[in-house]
Amino acid sequence: MPVLRKPKNGKRMENKLDRILVVDDEVVIRELLYDVLVDEGFAVDLASDGRAALEMISEEPRYVLLFTDIMMPEMDGIELIHEARRIRPDLVSIVMTGYATIETARAAVKEGAYDYVLKPFNLSEIKLAIHNAMDRRRLAMENMRLQELTELFHISENIASVRDERELFNFVLNAALERVSAVRGSLMIVTEDGQQLRVASSRGLPNHLMGSVVNIRDTISGLVARDVRPLLVQDIRDDPTVQQRSQHLKEISFISVPLERKGTAGPYTSAIESTYPRVLAVLNVTEKADGSNFTESDLKVLSIIANHSAAALENVRLFRDLEDTQREIVYTLGEIVETRSKETGHHVKRVAEYSRLLAEKIGLPGYEAEIIRLASPLHDVGKVGVPDAILNKPGKLDPAEFDVIKGHTTVGFDMLRGARGRMLQAAATLAHQHHERWDGKGYPQGLVGEETHLYGRITGIADVFDALGQKRLYKEAWPVQKILDYFCDERGKQFDPALVDIFFANLDSILTIKAEFPADY
Ligand code: C2E
Ligand code: SIN
Ligand code: SIN
Ligand code: FE
Ligand code: FE
């Protein structure tokens, strides 16, 4: 039978909704664990066998931790864990067992138990195991929330909702205030020169502040932007430097976090990074609804929100860029479609997808991989300048003809170099450089190694992989194995070795893309 008892007041209150279920056939141990855990501030229920425990688990949704003996009559602890997880997959389990059965304990961990403690146990060991398990659970919950946030911001699934910068700012500020139960706050945007902050969204602040601009040197937000460091002030009176910068803060506790542009994960530097301020904006919150001070965990929540907001903001700006330049692109593309050779078809689409994949996998931030995806279809745009008789010649080119073809790189570059926007700038670069080679024997400039811009190296690989796999007027399609052999041979000669490695590491995805877009002929 279930043994239910009311918890007495603990020293430290854990989340009131969280309960621990202790299962042991020995009453002495049950009672002992009960006292220890209640003393630690947990709400605890007891069960004397597996059946009773399962019954309780199916009726009580608040259990977060199952603490069970292994050796019990009828149903043992391992079976209990197994069954319990079918009812509640997120239930964290700890098993206890004697030294003689330590192998069984390890088996339980394999079955999904989070940890085990050996009998006879000392109390600090138990407390530690429980707190570890609770921490892990909190972490898992935090991750779930993080995923929810990621989904909220996922650009490709809901472009419309983040298309508008203002809408994003309001959304972020409201989400932040709500998550930390704050009443007032603001989101301040760093201006393009990095010198000023503009109030982009605010709540609980005087209306006239909206849109107002402050110098980055004078404010708390400025400090946070300059140092790229979040600030949690529990009591401003303890911190004179901060207090000095506070102009209209009457509260004593607040949090201020930077929205930091994502760096690159790989060895390559983003081409965009160096030219724009690193901190995009600063998120400020103050005044807890219940009058208490902000905590470390509030800071953590806001840092997560700030991270995701920064990524979302980059995406919004990318799309704004795109809108600005869309007319130019459409015009340019229209020109190509009219003039270009017969092989276009899906070639540019595949090259775009391969390029995006390589960019992402080499560690460029998502928005930059997206820029490359959008820009790479323009890599051969300069072929509009190549006479049809050469471009569509059904056989080998003579050297003079090939020289004309080589001109498509500089022609493309000249077409695009004057265009505004990051995407068309990227397109200009990769149109210019996609036929350069790692060993310096490429054209038009004979650049060596990393002298060729990363965009050029990426699209270069994508272009050749695709060209080899397709039938052309001058050649048959190569079988995949022959292409892969070619890539091995040309690693460090024609191609950047690091990119070839990335290529092979992601071969499955590459071949999926190849299969997705049918051949041109
Ligand atoms: P493309 O057909 O899009 O080919 C792009 C790149 O893929 C080529 O750049 C080359 O690096 C690689 N590639 C394509 N086919 C082969 C091949 O059979 N063997 C090897 N080893 N690599 C290959 P590349 O060579 O600079 O050529 C640039 C463009 O010039 C080609 O674009 C194509 O439009 C044209 N072209 C090149 N050779 C010939 C040719 O013999 N006849 C004709 N009609 N056009 C050619
Ligand atoms: C800010 O972070 O700049 C707002 C605090 C203030 O100066 O009132
Ligand atoms: C050039 O190589 O001259 C322009 C392409 C680039 O921006 O790297
Ligand atoms: Fe080309
Ligand atoms: Fe091409």
Side-chain angles (χ1 to χ4, degrees):
M1 277 307 290
V3 189
L4 288 162
R5 281 169 54 171
K6 280 210 177 83
K8 62 185 185 195
N9 278 335
K11 284 189 300 218
R12 140 162 121 171
M13 273 323 280
E14 295 286 339
N15 188 336
K16 289 192 192 67
L17 294 174
D18 294 347
R19 299 188 79 83
I20 296 180
L21 179 59
V22 172
V23 191
D24 200 306
D25 54 325
E26 285 176 78
V27 66
V28 185
I29 291 184
R30 280 202 308 267
E31 298 282 311
L32 174 67
L33 285 170
Y34 182 85
D35 287 339
V36 173
L37 296 176
V38 168
D39 213 41
E40 283 293 293
F42 293 108
V44 184
D45 293 327
L46 302 174
S48 56
D49 62 71
R51 293 260 159 263
L54 286 177
E55 223 169 90
M56 292 165 77
I57 289 165
S58 33
E59 276 162 24
E60 170 57 86
R62 289 175 301 176
Y63 290 126
V64 296
L65 182 68
L66 173 64
F67 200 85
T68 180
D69 192 20
I70 288 193
M71 305 292 273
M72 294 185 293
E74 289 183 58
M75 182 187 291
D76 69 23
I78 294 179
E79 193 186 344
L80 170 59
I81 287 175
H82 192 79
E83 293 298 314
R85 283 169 72 90
R86 284 162 53 146
I87 305 171
R88 286 275 314 279
D90 61 331
L91 193 64
V92 177
S93 319
I94 299 177
V95 298
M96 23 183 184
T97 185
Y99 281 113
T101 53
I102 182 162
E103 282 314 317
T104 325
R106 297 212 172 104
V109 169
K110 270 201 191 125
E111 264 297 307
Y114 172 62
D115 202 355
Y116 58 85
V117 291
L118 298 178
K119 287 180 183 173
F121 40 68
N122 67 43
L123 296 182
S124 52
E125 203 180 325
I126 291 207
K127 287 179 195 171
L128 188 68
I130 297 224
H131 282 296
N132 279 346
M134 291 308 234
D135 283 348
R136 183 184 93 136
R137 186 173 170 279
R138 259 179 233 121
L139 220 85
M141 306 272 283
E142 200 58 57
N143 277 342
M144 261 169 59
R145 274 185 227 124
L146 207 131
Q147 256 171 12
E148 279 167 29
L149 275 173
T150 311
E151 278 157 26
L152 278 176
F153 287 125
H154 202 279
I155 182 91
S156 61
E157 273 160 25
N158 208 348
I159 290 169
S161 74
V162 289
R163 254 218 133 139
D164 180 48
E165 225 172 89
R166 240 170 335 176
E167 199 180 309
L168 177 68
F169 295 149
N170 293 334
F171 177 81
V172 167
L173 180 61
N174 285 335
L177 291 169
E178 196 177 306
R179 289 295 302 281
V180 299
S181 318
V183 178
R184 286 138 51 79
S186 65
L187 195 79
M188 313 204 40
I189 299 300
V190 178
T191 53
E192 251 184 55
D193 60 7
Q195 298 306 306
Q196 297 186 311
L197 288 161
R198 186 171 49 79
V199 179
S201 179
S202 72
R203 200 152 97 193
L205 297 177
N207 268 340
H208 69 269
L209 283 181
M210 188 61 200
S212 67
V213 174
V214 295
N215 200 300
I216 209 153
R217 285 192 307 268
D218 309 332
T219 57
I220 293 168
S221 306
L223 195 70
V224 168
R226 194 197 62 196
D227 297 350
V228 201
R229 195 168 48 90
L231 187 65
L232 160 64
V233 171
Q234 275 160 341
D235 189 336
I236 198 166
R237 290 163 299 196
D238 299 340
D239 201 336
T241 19
V242 172
Q243 191 158 25
Q244 230 177 21
R245 282 174 168 251
S246 168
Q247 288 156 13
H248 24 68
L249 263 185
K250 59 179 177 8
E251 289 75 21
I252 59 164
S253 180
F254 63 88
I255 293 178
S256 191
V257 291
L259 271 63
E260 191 186 346
R261 209 144 35 73
K262 280 270 180 308
T264 52
Y268 297 97
T269 356
S270 153
I272 291 162
E273 214 139 2
S274 47
T275 51
Y276 290 74
R278 175 145 160 232
V279 171
L280 300 165
V282 176
L283 174 63
N284 302 301
V285 302
T286 187
E287 200 177 333
K288 279 265 214 192
D290 65 1
S292 64
N293 291 350
F294 289 98
T295 63
E296 289 287 342
S297 97
D298 291 331
L299 179 62
K300 207 178 280 175
V301 167
L302 291 185
S303 298
I304 292 169
I305 291 182
N307 268 341
H308 287 266
S309 311
L313 183 54
E314 280 289 358
N315 281 330
V316 169
R317 291 189 170 165
L318 171 61
F319 276 92
R320 193 187 53 197
D321 254 20
L322 281 184
E323 256 165 351
D324 289 352
T325 52
Q326 211 137 46
R327 231 175 291 164
E328 288 174 78
I329 301 162
V330 170
Y331 177 75
T332 313
L333 278 174
E335 218 178 20
I336 311 162
V337 171
E338 274 193 41
T339 334
R340 265 291 318 277
S341 67
K342 295 179 180 121
E343 118 235 336
T344 337
H346 290 98
H347 172 60
V348 292
K349 282 184 201 147
R350 286 185 304 258
V351 170
E353 294 304 324
Y354 300 141
S355 298
R356 182 199 54 76
L357 185 77
L358 291 171
E360 197 181 285
K361 297 297 181 185
I362 200 128
L364 292 182
Y367 64 87
E368 201 167 359
E370 183 67 7
I371 287 176
I372 295 173
R373 182 177 79 85
L374 295 166
S376 57
L378 298 179
H379 71 273
D380 274 340
V381 72
K383 281 185 180 171
V384 295
V386 177
D388 208 50
I390 297 177
L391 194 61
N392 294 323
K393 177 177 174 175
K396 265 235 147 312
L397 299 171
D398 67 37
E401 290 169 329
F402 196 50
D403 278 344
V404 175
I405 288 255
K406 284 177 179 173
H408 80 279
T409 50
T410 44
V411 169
F413 180 54
D414 288 339
M415 286 172 70
L416 295 164
R417 67 197 298 180
R420 280 184 318 118
R422 297 185 221 171
M423 199 208 80
L424 290 186
Q425 279 306 308
T429 299
L430 55 85
H432 197 200
Q433 301 188 354
H434 70 281
H435 286 295
E436 298 290 356
R437 293 171 50 111
W438 187 255
D439 60 14
K441 295 179 187 160
Y443 60 90
Q445 297 178 97
L447 302 174
V448 179
E450 293 188 5
E451 282 174 16
T452 302
H453 194 286
L454 179 58
Y455 298 175
R457 279 177 273 148
I458 286 175
T459 306
I461 277 205
D463 183 35
V464 172
F465 176 72
D466 195 66
L468 293 177
Q470 303 300 311
K471 183 173 152 65
R472 290 279 197 263
L473 284 165
Y474 63 94
K475 62 172 266 293
E476 288 304 313
W478 289 16
V480 172
Q481 192 52 52
K482 187 174 171 191
I483 301 176
L484 300 185
D485 291 345
Y486 181 80
F487 270 53
C488 278
D489 289 344
E490 294 295 332
R491 182 182 182 279
K493 295 182 206 158
Q494 183 168 1
F495 307 123
D496 177 350
L499 280 170
V500 171
D501 294 344
I502 300 267
F503 175 90
F504 278 108
N506 295 281
L507 193 57
D508 283 354
S509 314
I510 300 259
L511 294 177
T512 306
I513 294 168
K514 184 170 156 68
E516 236 165 67
F517 299 96
D520 299 321
Y521 291 98

mmCIF file of all heavy atoms in Angstrom, residues 19-42:
data_model
loop_
_atom_site.group_PDB
_atom_site.id
_atom_site.type_symbol
_atom_site.label_atom_id
_atom_site.label_comp_id
_atom_site.label_asym_id
_atom_site.label_seq_id
_atom_site.Cartn_x
_atom_site.Cartn_y
_atom_site.Cartn_z
ATOM 1 N N ARG A 19 7.921 16.717 -6.626
ATOM 2 C CA ARG A 19 7.859 15.722 -5.555
ATOM 3 C C ARG A 19 8.821 14.590 -5.848
ATOM 4 O O ARG A 19 9.107 14.278 -7.000
ATOM 5 C CB ARG A 19 6.443 15.151 -5.436
ATOM 6 C CG ARG A 19 5.374 16.171 -5.104
ATOM 7 C CD ARG A 19 4.053 15.485 -4.816
ATOM 8 N NE ARG A 19 4.009 14.920 -3.475
ATOM 9 C CZ ARG A 19 3.696 15.644 -2.401
ATOM 10 N NH1 ARG A 19 3.449 16.936 -2.521
ATOM 11 N NH2 ARG A 19 3.653 15.073 -1.220
ATOM 12 N N ILE A 20 9.280 13.977 -4.750
ATOM 13 C CA ILE A 20 10.151 12.811 -4.870
ATOM 14 C C ILE A 20 9.385 11.598 -4.363
ATOM 15 O O ILE A 20 8.701 11.680 -3.343
ATOM 16 C CB ILE A 20 11.432 13.011 -4.036
ATOM 17 C CG1 ILE A 20 12.237 14.191 -4.587
ATOM 18 C CG2 ILE A 20 12.272 11.737 -4.024
ATOM 19 C CD1 ILE A 20 13.516 14.465 -3.829
ATOM 20 N N LEU A 21 9.518 10.500 -5.088
ATOM 21 C CA LEU A 21 8.905 9.257 -4.635
ATOM 22 C C LEU A 21 10.009 8.287 -4.211
ATOM 23 O O LEU A 21 10.909 7.969 -4.994
ATOM 24 C CB LEU A 21 8.073 8.639 -5.762
ATOM 25 C CG LEU A 21 7.392 7.309 -5.422
ATOM 26 C CD1 LEU A 21 6.455 7.441 -4.226
ATOM 27 C CD2 LEU A 21 6.614 6.781 -6.631
ATOM 28 N N VAL A 22 9.948 7.861 -2.946
ATOM 29 C CA VAL A 22 10.922 6.924 -2.407
ATOM 30 C C VAL A 22 10.288 5.536 -2.329
ATOM 31 O O VAL A 22 9.193 5.384 -1.788
ATOM 32 C CB VAL A 22 11.382 7.378 -1.003
ATOM 33 C CG1 VAL A 22 12.256 6.306 -0.352
ATOM 34 C CG2 VAL A 22 12.113 8.709 -1.082
ATOM 35 N N VAL A 23 10.965 4.543 -2.884
ATOM 36 C CA VAL A 23 10.425 3.181 -2.872
ATOM 37 C C VAL A 23 11.436 2.235 -2.224
ATOM 38 O O VAL A 23 12.571 2.102 -2.703
ATOM 39 C CB VAL A 23 10.133 2.689 -4.307
ATOM 40 C CG1 VAL A 23 9.325 1.399 -4.258
ATOM 41 C CG2 VAL A 23 9.394 3.758 -5.108
ATOM 42 N N ASP A 24 11.028 1.618 -1.119
ATOM 43 C CA ASP A 24 11.892 0.627 -0.470
ATOM 44 C C ASP A 24 11.003 -0.308 0.349
ATOM 45 O O ASP A 24 10.021 0.132 0.954
ATOM 46 C CB ASP A 24 12.923 1.318 0.429
ATOM 47 C CG ASP A 24 14.112 0.398 0.720
ATOM 48 O OD1 ASP A 24 13.902 -0.735 1.200
ATOM 49 O OD2 ASP A 24 15.253 0.831 0.440
ATOM 50 N N ASP A 25 11.361 -1.587 0.333
ATOM 51 C CA ASP A 25 10.540 -2.534 1.094
ATOM 52 C C ASP A 25 10.855 -2.482 2.587
ATOM 53 O O ASP A 25 10.099 -3.002 3.392
ATOM 54 C CB ASP A 25 10.690 -3.957 0.536
ATOM 55 C CG ASP A 25 12.141 -4.393 0.465
ATOM 56 O OD1 ASP A 25 13.006 -3.526 0.180
ATOM 57 O OD2 ASP A 25 12.426 -5.575 0.692
ATOM 58 N N GLU A 26 11.973 -1.885 2.946
ATOM 59 C CA GLU A 26 12.308 -1.809 4.372
ATOM 60 C C GLU A 26 11.832 -0.489 4.958
ATOM 61 O O GLU A 26 12.257 0.588 4.531
ATOM 62 C CB GLU A 26 13.829 -1.909 4.558
ATOM 63 C CG GLU A 26 14.366 -3.316 4.374
ATOM 64 C CD GLU A 26 15.880 -3.323 4.485
ATOM 65 O OE1 GLU A 26 16.387 -3.263 5.607
ATOM 66 O OE2 GLU A 26 16.546 -3.347 3.430
ATOM 67 N N VAL A 27 10.971 -0.592 5.962
ATOM 68 C CA VAL A 27 10.348 0.602 6.518
ATOM 69 C C VAL A 27 11.378 1.541 7.145
ATOM 70 O O VAL A 27 11.267 2.763 7.031
ATOM 71 C CB VAL A 27 9.238 0.216 7.536
ATOM 72 C CG1 VAL A 27 9.821 -0.483 8.761
ATOM 73 C CG2 VAL A 27 8.451 1.448 7.955
ATOM 74 N N VAL A 28 12.429 0.982 7.749
ATOM 75 C CA VAL A 28 13.435 1.824 8.401
ATOM 76 C C VAL A 28 14.101 2.758 7.395
ATOM 77 O O VAL A 28 14.299 3.950 7.636
ATOM 78 C CB VAL A 28 14.518 0.944 9.078
ATOM 79 C CG1 VAL A 28 15.480 1.818 9.864
ATOM 80 C CG2 VAL A 28 13.873 -0.098 9.966
ATOM 81 N N ILE A 29 14.431 2.184 6.251
ATOM 82 C CA ILE A 29 15.112 2.985 5.232
ATOM 83 C C ILE A 29 14.180 4.036 4.643
ATOM 84 O O ILE A 29 14.552 5.195 4.438
ATOM 85 C CB ILE A 29 15.679 2.057 4.135
ATOM 86 C CG1 ILE A 29 16.818 1.258 4.746
ATOM 87 C CG2 ILE A 29 16.163 2.855 2.931
ATOM 88 C CD1 ILE A 29 17.563 0.359 3.807
ATOM 89 N N ARG A 30 12.938 3.627 4.390
ATOM 90 C CA ARG A 30 11.948 4.595 3.905
ATOM 91 C C ARG A 30 11.853 5.800 4.822
ATOM 92 O O ARG A 30 11.909 6.942 4.390
ATOM 93 C CB ARG A 30 10.557 3.937 3.847
ATOM 94 C CG ARG A 30 10.309 3.078 2.639
ATOM 95 C CD ARG A 30 8.824 2.915 2.372
ATOM 96 N NE ARG A 30 8.025 2.467 3.489
ATOM 97 C CZ ARG A 30 7.725 1.181 3.749
ATOM 98 N NH1 ARG A 30 8.205 0.223 2.973
ATOM 99 N NH2 ARG A 30 6.981 0.859 4.770
ATOM 100 N N GLU A 31 11.694 5.519 6.100
ATOM 101 C CA GLU A 31 11.498 6.591 7.082
ATOM 102 C C GLU A 31 12.730 7.488 7.158
ATOM 103 O O GLU A 31 12.629 8.710 7.226
ATOM 104 C CB GLU A 31 11.209 5.996 8.471
ATOM 105 C CG GLU A 31 9.938 5.168 8.518
ATOM 106 C CD GLU A 31 8.689 6.050 8.575
ATOM 107 O OE1 GLU A 31 8.657 6.973 9.406
ATOM 108 O OE2 GLU A 31 7.758 5.818 7.767
ATOM 109 N N LEU A 32 13.896 6.843 7.133
ATOM 110 C CA LEU A 32 15.144 7.602 7.202
ATOM 111 C C LEU A 32 15.249 8.557 6.007
ATOM 112 O O LEU A 32 15.518 9.752 6.147
ATOM 113 C CB LEU A 32 16.332 6.633 7.210
ATOM 114 C CG LEU A 32 17.706 7.298 7.145
ATOM 115 C CD1 LEU A 32 17.985 8.085 8.430
ATOM 116 C CD2 LEU A 32 18.807 6.266 6.907
ATOM 117 N N LEU A 33 15.004 8.018 4.791
ATOM 118 C CA LEU A 33 15.098 8.837 3.590
ATOM 119 C C LEU A 33 14.064 9.954 3.623
ATOM 120 O O LEU A 33 14.324 11.079 3.208
ATOM 121 C CB LEU A 33 14.895 7.970 2.342
ATOM 122 C CG LEU A 33 16.101 7.100 2.003
ATOM 123 C CD1 LEU A 33 15.745 6.097 0.913
ATOM 124 C CD2 LEU A 33 17.271 7.968 1.561
ATOM 125 N N TYR A 34 12.898 9.617 4.109
ATOM 126 C CA TYR A 34 11.847 10.622 4.222
ATOM 127 C C TYR A 34 12.340 11.826 5.029
ATOM 128 O O TYR A 34 12.250 12.976 4.577
ATOM 129 C CB TYR A 34 10.600 10.019 4.883
ATOM 130 C CG TYR A 34 9.474 11.022 4.984
ATOM 131 C CD1 TYR A 34 8.605 11.213 3.919
ATOM 132 C CD2 TYR A 34 9.318 11.805 6.123
ATOM 133 C CE1 TYR A 34 7.585 12.154 3.990
ATOM 134 C CE2 TYR A 34 8.309 12.745 6.202
ATOM 135 C CZ TYR A 34 7.439 12.917 5.136
ATOM 136 O OH TYR A 34 6.461 13.852 5.208
ATOM 137 N N ASP A 35 12.892 11.543 6.222
ATOM 138 C CA ASP A 35 13.345 12.636 7.081
ATOM 139 C C ASP A 35 14.448 13.457 6.426
ATOM 140 O O ASP A 35 14.431 14.687 6.451
ATOM 141 C CB ASP A 35 13.837 12.076 8.425
ATOM 142 C CG ASP A 35 12.663 11.606 9.276
ATOM 143 O OD1 ASP A 35 11.528 12.066 9.011
ATOM 144 O OD2 ASP A 35 12.876 10.771 10.180
ATOM 145 N N VAL A 36 15.390 12.758 5.810
ATOM 146 C CA VAL A 36 16.505 13.459 5.178
ATOM 147 C C VAL A 36 16.020 14.383 4.061
ATOM 148 O O VAL A 36 16.389 15.554 3.976
ATOM 149 C CB VAL A 36 17.508 12.442 4.589
ATOM 150 C CG1 VAL A 36 18.573 13.167 3.776
ATOM 151 C CG2 VAL A 36 18.136 11.625 5.697
ATOM 152 N N LEU A 37 15.152 13.839 3.215
ATOM 153 C CA LEU A 37 14.736 14.594 2.034
ATOM 154 C C LEU A 37 13.805 15.751 2.394
ATOM 155 O O LEU A 37 13.902 16.839 1.826
ATOM 156 C CB LEU A 37 14.073 13.663 1.013
ATOM 157 C CG LEU A 37 15.034 12.611 0.451
ATOM 158 C CD1 LEU A 37 14.319 11.663 -0.485
ATOM 159 C CD2 LEU A 37 16.189 13.290 -0.263
ATOM 160 N N VAL A 38 12.918 15.518 3.333
ATOM 161 C CA VAL A 38 12.034 16.594 3.771
ATOM 162 C C VAL A 38 12.878 17.700 4.393
ATOM 163 O O VAL A 38 12.643 18.889 4.164
ATOM 164 C CB VAL A 38 10.979 16.060 4.761
ATOM 165 C CG1 VAL A 38 10.263 17.227 5.444
ATOM 166 C CG2 VAL A 38 9.962 15.197 4.019
ATOM 167 N N ASP A 39 13.879 17.277 5.122
ATOM 168 C CA ASP A 39 14.797 18.231 5.729
ATOM 169 C C ASP A 39 15.515 19.074 4.664
ATOM 170 O O ASP A 39 15.844 20.234 4.884
ATOM 171 C CB ASP A 39 15.828 17.461 6.556
ATOM 172 C CG ASP A 39 16.250 18.279 7.767
ATOM 173 O OD1 ASP A 39 15.367 18.908 8.380
ATOM 174 O OD2 ASP A 39 17.452 18.299 8.061
ATOM 175 N N GLU A 40 15.725 18.476 3.514
ATOM 176 C CA GLU A 40 16.377 19.185 2.408
ATOM 177 C C GLU A 40 15.409 20.099 1.679
ATOM 178 O O GLU A 40 15.789 20.785 0.731
ATOM 179 C CB GLU A 40 16.948 18.187 1.394
ATOM 180 C CG GLU A 40 18.238 17.529 1.824
ATOM 181 C CD GLU A 40 19.392 18.522 1.903
ATOM 182 O OE1 GLU A 40 19.806 19.043 0.857
ATOM 183 O OE2 GLU A 40 19.852 18.787 3.036
ATOM 184 N N GLY A 41 14.146 20.065 2.082
ATOM 185 C CA GLY A 41 13.183 20.960 1.466
ATOM 186 C C GLY A 41 12.340 20.329 0.373
ATOM 187 O O GLY A 41 11.613 21.033 -0.330
ATOM 188 N N PHE A 42 12.433 19.022 0.185
ATOM 189 C CA PHE A 42 11.640 18.380 -0.853
ATOM 190 C C PHE A 42 10.297 17.898 -0.326
ATOM 191 O O PHE A 42 10.144 17.630 0.863
ATOM 192 C CB PHE A 42 12.392 17.167 -1.412
ATOM 193 C CG PHE A 42 13.634 17.536 -2.158
ATOM 194 C CD1 PHE A 42 14.885 17.275 -1.622
ATOM 195 C CD2 PHE A 42 13.560 18.156 -3.391
ATOM 196 C CE1 PHE A 42 16.038 17.620 -2.306
ATOM 197 C CE2 PHE A 42 14.711 18.504 -4.086
ATOM 198 C CZ PHE A 42 15.947 18.242 -3.541
#
